[in-house]
Amino acid sequence: MDDKSNKLLLALVMVFLFAVIVLQYVCPGTECQLLRLQAFSSSLVDPYRAEDESPAKFIPKFNFTLDDLLRKVDFNIKGDDLIVFLHIQKTGGTTFGRHLVRNIQLEQPCECKAGQKKCTCHRPGKKETWLFSRFSTGWSCGLHADWTELTNCVPAVVDNKKEIKLRPLRNFYYITILRDPVSRYLSEWRHVQRGATWKASLHVCDGRSPTSDELPSCYTGDDWSGCSLKEFMDCPYNLANNRQVRMLSDLSLVGCYNLSVMPEDQRNKVLLDSAKENLKRMAFFGLTEFQRKTQYLFEKTFNMNFISPFTQFNSTRASSVEIDDQTQKHIETLNFLDMELYEYAKDLFLQRYQFMRQKEHQEARRKRQEQRKILRAKHANHKAEIDNSTADYIGNVEKWR
């Protein structure tokens, strides 16, 4: 640690000690000591204080309303409410999905058995799930179902065994995780290179899957294993391009996968606008690059706490891929819609975090002020009692004379 850091640390310690001395002088009683202990302990146990200054130079670019920033839902896990996780490939969704089934403090925790991918996540006292995700219900609406598929499929799947008149009026809370487009794209390429295909994806839109003419394949044979990054980028039908926008938008607005419905520029604008609006209206979304903030916002949104803190993994398969500036720009061009969506999402995400932290600090300040009022009132009453007892004692002494 250098001299500058040592001096700063010493200055902070001196300020704290000075504050303690002043408070001791102003309020020496045991009640005030308890208040000081509470204030000191609360400053130490705040697990998100280090996150408040990261990124240090964040300047909001978009003007969001109060309704856009305030995300706190009345999720009733004992009722009929359902959390629906929209899992976009290579965004860290697998890690987050495991947090949902293994790392939340619940009255009735999810039952996860060794060797089984799915966990049983029942509501307290009911044989019914509160979570629709890969690790709770499986791929019930198709492998990596998008927004278009989920919003049309989930209600029918969860209530398919009930008569229409007996189906409850549920609140569906959609959540998702986004990632930096270049890192996500490189991660998907490495995954495909190892043999991943996602052939089981249905891509259902307006009641049907796309034809082979509407959605041609980038490869022949069983998979595309061993493909180079150039081959991956050169395929015009590659769904990795702008995947996050496609998976978050209402595809029925552009004729699904039929590219002849409208001009390309118009289609791109409709898709991007739809993705932004759907993302903004979701109950919650997180960012892979901000694990602790993602944890904080989820906890505040759903009033559900995680058992163990999220971990930020900066070393990934994508980070191990070295690319030159030209390749970087090419990937950004291929994912220009995702780039714009991510800029929007990051701004909204960080504004939401700042907003929720400010509300939390304001509430803590209000509680401290109320505590001080109560302590001052008790101190005044105690002083009055002492003064009265002293006056009574002096009066009795005068009588005894």
Side-chain angles (χ1 to χ4, degrees), residues 328-339:
Q328 169 95 12
K329 291 178 181 178
H330 190 187
I331 294 175
E332 291 175 356
T333 300
L334 289 172
N335 293 274
F336 71 103
L337 295 178
D338 273 11
M339 295 294 293

Side-chain angles (χ1 to χ4, degrees), residues 89 142-145 149 197-204 209 243:
Q89 290 95 318
L143 180 63
H144 286 288
E149 292 176 293
T197 63
W198 296 297
K199 286 181 179 179
S201 296
L202 302 176
H203 305 302
V204 174
S209 295
R243 184 180 288 279

Side-chain angles (χ1 to χ4, degrees), residues 4-100:
K4 187 176 181 180
S5 300
N6 285 327
K7 290 179 180 178
L8 179 60
L9 181 60
L10 179 62
L12 291 173
V13 172
M14 295 297 294
V15 169
F16 174 74
L17 291 176
F18 177 75
V20 170
I21 293 172
V22 171
L23 189 57
Q24 177 67 40
Y25 176 78
V26 174
C27 184
T30 57
E31 290 175 341
C32 287
Q33 291 175 8
L34 178 61
L35 181 61
R36 288 196 297 273
L37 181 60
Q38 290 175 343
F40 180 63
S41 62
S42 64
S43 66
L44 290 179
V45 301
D46 184 353
Y48 297 102
R49 172 169 291 186
E51 294 294 321
D52 292 343
E53 302 302 323
S54 174
K57 298 181 179 179
F58 170 63
I59 301 176
K61 297 180 182 178
F62 297 90
N63 294 320
F64 294 107
T65 66
L66 180 63
D67 289 339
D68 296 334
L69 297 179
L70 181 58
R71 274 295 178 274
K72 193 166 186 178
V73 302
D74 186 20
F75 177 66
N76 185 5
I77 194 172
K78 296 182 179 180
D80 298 309
D81 295 349
L82 192 70
I83 294 177
V84 182
F85 180 34
L86 193 164
H87 184 171
I88 302 174
Q89 290 95 318
K90 313 314 294 179
T91 58
T94 297
T95 299
F96 183 76
R98 288 198 179 103
H99 280 305
L100 293 177

Side-chain angles (χ1 to χ4, degrees), residues 210-219 235-239 257 259:
T211 65
S212 58
D213 290 334
E214 291 174 331
L215 189 58
S217 177
C218 286
Y219 58 88
C235 177
Y237 319 113
N238 194 344
L239 289 181
Y257 293 88
L259 302 182

